[in-house]
Amino acid sequence: MDKQEIISSFAEFARAKNIDKVLMEQVLEEVFRTMIRKKYTSDENFDVIVNIEDGDLEMYRNRIIVEDDSPEAHELDKVTLSEAKKIDPEIAEEDIGDEFPQTVYLSDFGRRAILTARQTLIQKIKDVEKENLYLKYKDMTDEIVVTEVHQILSRELLLLDSEGNELSLPKNELIPKDRYRKGEMSKAVVHRVDMINGNPKIILSRTSPIFLERLFESEIPEVYDGLITIKKVVRQPGERAKVAVESYDDRIDPVGACVGMKGSRIHSIVRELNNENIDVINYTDNLDLYITRALSPAKITSIKMEDDGRVSVFLKPDQVSLAIGKGGHNIKLASKLVGMEIDVYRDMDEYEIEEDIELSEFDDEEIEPWIRDELRRLGMETAKSVLNVGRELLINRSELEEETVDYLLALLKREFEEEEEQE
């Protein structure tokens, strides 16, 4: 195998791996220098010239000619006059002290060394591939990629990008309603890129708020062009999301532009997220108004800012369940959107208050003092205020166990039923 055949073989391998010419020549030079170091101990006084396009390779060993009895004769960068004459008969005594470039041939290394060099090259190309893949996706963090489902494992989906690179979509980064089969296309955002034992691991996500933000950018031109700014995105993946948007152009209605005529723009995003309910909210610096919009579709009667950084929201009885939402998702997302803990209370009229029962009227065996203290901490002093909040919110907002909440609600309901029977 001559040098041109070897270089062409190496170059063909590199092109198949999408390695550019300059980098390939650098890698090849390093491979041949490794061969030189193994044979000659050092490569400091060697020149290696690789030209992939011509399939050419030149290697030179540069040494200074010294007299045969010189104390420097055994140094790596020196060659005796008699040895130099054996290589080039035209060398004479007057050449002592001059540099003597000796051509090094591949055949000098032996076939085994060449085969080893090929294996070394393959490994270096793989290392370059891994580094390139890591850097490519590191720059693409928080960007959407479209991939093909290659394999479905117990904890993750293995996906292939357009270049055949393997990416990972963990099950906990999937929307709960996602159902994929091998060969289907998937759209997700690059969540993070890890290097594990020298191998890049590209982690994708469909549950990240960034994914929803990027979908808005891809589907709504005004967002992509910067005419509408997304201030914040919060999600309960597969259930509900809230997106606060703002426009600095008074001629643009940010909510209307995002939703589109009859929901035409938002519909494609909802479909991609498997019917996740998306509330688009007009951002404002007016906190009261922002909270009101965040709790949409519920209608708020009044808002009270508490000293501990929480906010109490009062609503008509028929609006409480809307404010809390299915599974408490609406109020949780509203709290995240405005950055404050929101407590929801029923706004009762005087007649309802007169019919209510103070929690202090129950004896300690019925409602233990520590339970009353916990309810009082949440702003609940009466039986109806507890009943109106409901089981889900009591469990989520208080320190009470589910069994305790169930017992409490049953006790309070029974109390009102007994009063009605007596009347």
Side-chain angles (χ1 to χ4, degrees), residues 66-85:
V66 297
E67 295 179 354
D68 290 351
D69 59 353
S70 171
E72 301 176 318
H74 298 292
E75 294 181 8
L76 293 174
D77 61 343
K78 303 295 190 300
V79 60
T80 63
L81 179 62
S82 58
E83 185 181 351
K85 283 183 177 181

Side-chain angles (χ1 to χ4, degrees), residues 10-27 52 121 124-130 132:
F10 287 171
E12 183 180 346
F13 177 79
R15 281 192 292 271
K17 298 297 183 179
N18 295 317
I19 307 298
D20 67 75
K21 171 179 171 291
V22 175
L23 180 57
M24 181 59 198
E25 288 179 348
Q26 292 173 350
V27 171
I52 287 183
L121 174 67
K124 285 185 176 293
I125 293 297
K126 287 181 178 178
D127 292 341
V128 170
E129 277 188 294
K130 292 174 185 178
N132 288 348

Side-chain angles (χ1 to χ4, degrees), residues 208-321:
S208 168
I210 297 293
F211 182 47
L212 179 51
E213 186 173 337
R214 293 293 175 266
L215 288 174
F216 265 70
E217 291 175 358
S218 64
E219 297 294 335
I220 302 163
E222 291 86 348
V223 176
Y224 180 82
D225 293 336
L227 299 174
I228 294 175
T229 302
I230 296 177
K231 301 294 288 186
K232 193 170 184 178
V233 177
V234 292
R235 291 180 68 192
Q236 184 65 40
E239 296 292 341
R240 197 179 197 101
K242 290 183 182 289
V243 183
V245 296
E246 183 179 31
S247 173
Y248 299 107
D249 189 335
D250 294 337
R251 295 169 297 178
I252 297 176
D253 169 20
V255 174
C258 290
V259 173
M261 187 73 69
K262 296 183 179 180
S264 57
R265 287 182 169 181
I266 203 75
H267 181 68
S268 60
I269 299 174
V270 171
R271 188 169 57 247
E272 176 64 40
L273 300 180
N274 284 317
N275 296 320
E276 188 171 309
N277 192 351
I278 302 173
D279 298 330
V280 184
I281 297 158
N282 203 341
Y283 177 81
T284 175
D285 291 327
N286 183 324
L287 188 55
D288 283 10
L289 181 56
Y290 192 33
I291 293 170
T292 300
R293 291 172 177 173
L295 280 172
S296 174
K299 301 291 189 291
I300 294 174
T301 303
S302 61
I303 296 175
K304 179 184 178 184
M305 299 295 175
E306 306 294 349
D307 294 335
D308 59 358
R310 303 175 76 93
V311 56
S312 297
V313 174
F314 299 89
L315 310 96
K316 292 296 183 183
D318 61 339
Q319 296 296 306
V320 172
S321 60

Side-chain angles (χ1 to χ4, degrees), residues 16-19 125-126 128-137 140 145-151 157-169 200-204:
K17 298 297 183 179
N18 295 317
I19 307 298
I125 293 297
K126 287 181 178 178
V128 170
E129 277 188 294
K130 292 174 185 178
E131 181 67 18
N132 288 348
L133 182 62
Y134 176 83
L135 294 175
K136 172 186 174 181
Y137 277 101
M140 290 176 63
V145 291
V146 179
T147 55
E148 180 184 336
V149 178
H150 176 61
Q151 197 172 358
L157 270 62
L158 296 182
L159 313 168
L160 297 180
D161 66 9
S162 59
E163 297 176 353
N165 298 309
E166 191 174 86
L167 288 66
S168 170
L169 180 53
K201 177 93 170 178
I202 297 100
I203 309 295
L204 305 183

